[in-house]
Amino acid sequence: MFPAAHLRTVDRREGYLPIEDHGLIGDGSTCALVGRDGGISWLCIPEFDSPPFLAGILDAENGGLFEISPVTVHASAQRYMEDSCVLVTTLASDRGILQITDCLTLRSGADLVEPVPAGRSELLRFVQAVGGDVRLRIRLVPKTGVSFDELAGGWRFEWDSGRVSEVYLWSSVDLVPDGRGLSAELTLRAGETITAALHWSGRFRLRQRPDSRRLIDQTVAAWRRWSSGLDCQGSQAELMKRSALTLKLLDHAETGAIMAAATSSLPEWPGAPRNWDYRYTWVRDASFSNYVFRRIGDPSDADVFLAWVLTNVERDGAPHVMYALDGSQPPDEVQDPLLRGYRGSAPVRWGNGAIHQLQHDVYGEIIDIAFQWSSSGGHVDGRLWAALVPIVELAIARWRTPDSGPWEIRAPGRPFTYSAALCYVAVDRAIQIARKQGLSYPKGRWEAAAKAIREAALTQSWNPERQTFTENLGGSGGLDAALLTLPVRNVIAFDDPRMIATTKAISEGLDAGNGLLYRYLPKVSPDGLPGTEGAFLLCSFWLVDNLAGQGRIDEAYALYEALCGRANPLGLLPEQIHPDTGEFLGNFPQAFSHVGVLASGLRLLKAGRRAASES
């Protein structure tokens, strides 16, 4: 039986589970959120960026839910099966304990290092009464507008998502139509089990019965084979491994493209309109993710992603800010006319308007991925070099041009310091690649450009009166937490007096309390958007990096431990944290936050070893 100490009451806010009361499962093609109440409230099929079949987390009435739960729930808990992404939810009722094992099943022998689909296009729910008799309810209600009919002992849902036309449900207990969905209520006695499975491959035959235990075992085995190769060390080694597994859940197997987050439109502030669709691949996010994957022992995703993104660039003639999974541009941003939003936080958005923005840091992100690949032994041949050179030239040509910056403001563009600095990174890393690989390049012009861009980024943004780098060239504008990445990207040394002063200014000026930072202050740095937002977790991890780089190891460790302590019991983190209540805000789980756990953990480990050797 599940230890009673781990069970917690199930509470709701305005009829919704807190964001932090969810776990994530996935198969490298899509993912699902499983609530601590036994409900699956988020599932897009067949892929991450497809329309949602279930979206109850965005509208409890119209969004859709796959519920398996005791009729009366007193408390619950969730855990992952060790070193896997198979999730176990334990629910306590007045008469017994119900245990639900959820996974998106993987093929037998699946190798998660290979850039091929590993999933079976199947959501499996295996239910067992593990103590006493449990009166339980099963109910599947798809998103409004989906019709269904009975077929071959199961159910078929008409689902036009562009690539899938039908979804099939098989259950080991009979379900009956119940308004928009299907349901059953029954008593499960100790030791008895139920299986329910959704399929969308188009090849499933409902008369075939899934062997639940075998499918769970082979899925666990595949995840463990991948995670066994990870090198995660330090005070938060287990959380680092969970963060790596979470990033892998957000990773599109065929392309190595990391989703920014699993969801769309979870609000950055309760009731406010800053709700965005994050189910796409930002080159910026993928660059950070590839960096940590290489350092914990899995470079395969970075290699695949580099080839994929350069193919997209070559096809389109220039890099874009983000990509859909098929390499195209995500759709234009639209507001959902039906869904009311998480806890009424409207609007719900699909697509992302940032596709139309200029963000000049993308040049540096792509070249840096290539640089990491080259530094790890990859060979840059003439064809690859020919794909990289135009990106470098774009950085040289555009670094002075106003853009929307790393935070994708929707106000008129500004000459962001971060963008200029990453244009320097593009030129500098390209020069290093050329030198290492013996490639020809316009030596004098590129080296002069690298020097000029770096000097401008570090001098034109410096405000001597305020003793800080500012968000814009010219020393104007507010503070920008993204500037904490300048030493991370080797634009400036961690212990440069200007960087030390900037770290101090940001930690004080963007302080949200308890080690949390805002990424900027909209009242000082207008972003063209109404409302407010929470504290952005990754920014605090960047502060950890700077404290460690400045030799303030004890402070860095203390902050890192506090940030890691904000993960939910499953080790998952959101985009943002409410600075007053500590509740999760924004899309969830957020790749950037888990990158922070890994990158800062690795930096602290290195800094600690260096300090020990010096002493």
Side-chain angles (χ1 to χ4, degrees), residues 262-429:
T263 56
S264 174
S265 300
L266 291 180
E268 295 176 355
W269 193 262
R274 294 177 180 234
N275 316 317
W276 314 111
D277 192 348
Y278 277 9
R279 301 169 304 139
Y280 307 109
T281 294
W282 274 253
V283 175
R284 179 186 312 113
D285 300 43
S287 174
F288 280 97
S289 300
N290 288 329
Y291 170 87
V292 296
F293 268 141
R294 283 194 181 281
R295 277 149 186 78
I296 61 174
D298 183 14
S300 60
D301 285 290
D303 296 347
V304 173
F305 178 76
L306 176 62
W308 180 74
V309 76
L310 287 178
T311 299
N312 297 337
V313 171
E314 188 174 16
R315 179 197 64 225
D316 299 339
H320 293 295
V321 172
M322 70 183 84
Y323 295 92
L325 293 180
D326 62 2
S328 68
Q329 283 296 274
D332 279 324
E333 188 174 294
V334 296
Q335 297 184 11
D336 194 300
L338 176 68
L339 300 183
R340 295 175 295 184
Y342 174 76
R343 295 170 58 190
S345 297
V348 168
R349 291 183 170 94
W350 310 115
N352 198 297
I355 59 173
H356 301 296
Q357 292 185 354
L358 287 176
Q359 296 176 27
H360 298 320
D361 64 296
V362 68
Y363 317 129
E365 313 289 3
I366 294 174
I367 302 299
D368 195 48
I369 294 171
F371 170 73
Q372 293 174 43
W373 183 72
S374 171
S375 299
S376 300
H379 175 59
V380 179
D381 60 18
R383 186 173 180 83
L384 176 55
W385 185 238
L388 297 176
V389 168
I391 300 173
V392 181
E393 295 292 355
L394 283 172
I396 294 172
R398 295 181 176 178
W399 69 269
R400 299 180 186 85
T401 308
D403 71 344
S404 297
W407 306 126
E408 305 183 339
I409 64 168
R410 299 202 173 190
R414 304 193 284 271
F416 280 93
T417 303
Y418 178 86
S419 299
L422 266 290
C423 286
Y424 159 74
V425 168
V427 186
D428 174 73
R429 302 305 188 270

Side-chain angles (χ1 to χ4, degrees), residues 474-512:
S476 63
L479 296 168
D480 180 359
L483 299 179
L484 294 173
T485 67
L486 296 185
V488 175
R489 296 303 190 118
N490 294 317
V491 178
I492 189 173
F494 281 106
D495 59 358
D496 185 290
R498 293 169 296 177
M499 198 63 226
I500 293 174
T502 297
T503 301
K504 181 176 185 293
I506 289 174
S507 63
E508 294 175 354
L510 298 181
D511 178 34

Side-chain angles (χ1 to χ4, degrees), residues 158-197:
E158 296 293 333
W159 175 244
D160 184 10
S161 67
R163 288 185 52 190
V164 169
S165 60
E166 295 175 332
V167 177
Y168 300 96
L169 171 68
W170 179 81
S171 170
S172 62
V173 297
D174 290 334
L175 303 177
V176 297
D178 174 19
R180 281 179 38 224
L182 301 162
S183 66
E185 191 171 306
L186 66 151
T187 298
L188 202 62
R189 307 196 183 282
E192 293 181 337
T193 65
I194 294 172
T195 295

Side-chain angles (χ1 to χ4, degrees), residues 392-606:
V392 181
E393 295 292 355
L394 283 172
I396 294 172
R398 295 181 176 178
W399 69 269
R400 299 180 186 85
T401 308
D403 71 344
S404 297
W407 306 126
E408 305 183 339
I409 64 168
R410 299 202 173 190
R414 304 193 284 271
F416 280 93
T417 303
Y418 178 86
S419 299
L422 266 290
C423 286
Y424 159 74
V425 168
V427 186
D428 174 73
R429 302 305 188 270
I431 291 171
Q432 293 190 55
I433 292 171
R435 289 172 176 170
K436 177 181 175 63
Q437 303 273 350
L439 298 162
S440 63
Y441 69 102
K443 184 175 184 296
R445 184 167 61 84
W446 277 17
E447 291 178 357
K451 181 179 179 181
I453 299 171
R454 179 178 181 272
E455 183 176 351
L458 297 181
T459 59
Q460 294 181 26
S461 67
W462 176 253
N463 188 309
E465 294 180 359
R466 295 160 62 188
Q467 285 292 292
T468 184
F469 292 124
T470 57
E471 64 178 341
N472 302 328
L473 300 182
S476 63
L479 296 168
D480 180 359
L483 299 179
L484 294 173
T485 67
L486 296 185
V488 175
R489 296 303 190 118
N490 294 317
V491 178
I492 189 173
F494 281 106
D495 59 358
D496 185 290
R498 293 169 296 177
M499 198 63 226
I500 293 174
T502 297
T503 301
K504 181 176 185 293
I506 289 174
S507 63
E508 294 175 354
L510 298 181
D511 178 34
N514 299 311
L516 297 173
L517 293 177
Y518 298 109
R519 49 185 173 175
Y520 59 91
L521 299 178
K523 291 183 179 179
V524 180
S525 305
D527 57 13
L529 295 165
T532 187
E533 63 180 37
F536 201 87
L537 264 177
L538 181 61
C539 299
S540 292
F541 284 109
W542 289 339
L543 179 56
V544 170
D545 296 338
N546 279 267
L547 293 174
Q550 293 167 19
R552 299 158 66 180
I553 305 298
D554 290 344
E555 293 175 71
Y557 266 114
L559 177 55
Y560 181 70
E561 295 293 323
L563 295 172
C564 291
R566 292 187 178 275
N568 75 1
L570 293 171
L572 303 180
L573 288 163
E575 176 190 17
Q576 299 185 16
I577 296 286
H578 194 301
D580 299 325
T581 66
E583 67 184 282
F584 286 9
L585 296 172
N587 285 305
F588 169 84
Q590 175 86 355
F592 255 164
S593 300
H594 292 280
V595 166
V597 171
L598 286 160
S600 295
L602 292 169
R603 190 173 299 279
L604 279 172
L605 185 66
K606 183 178 180 180

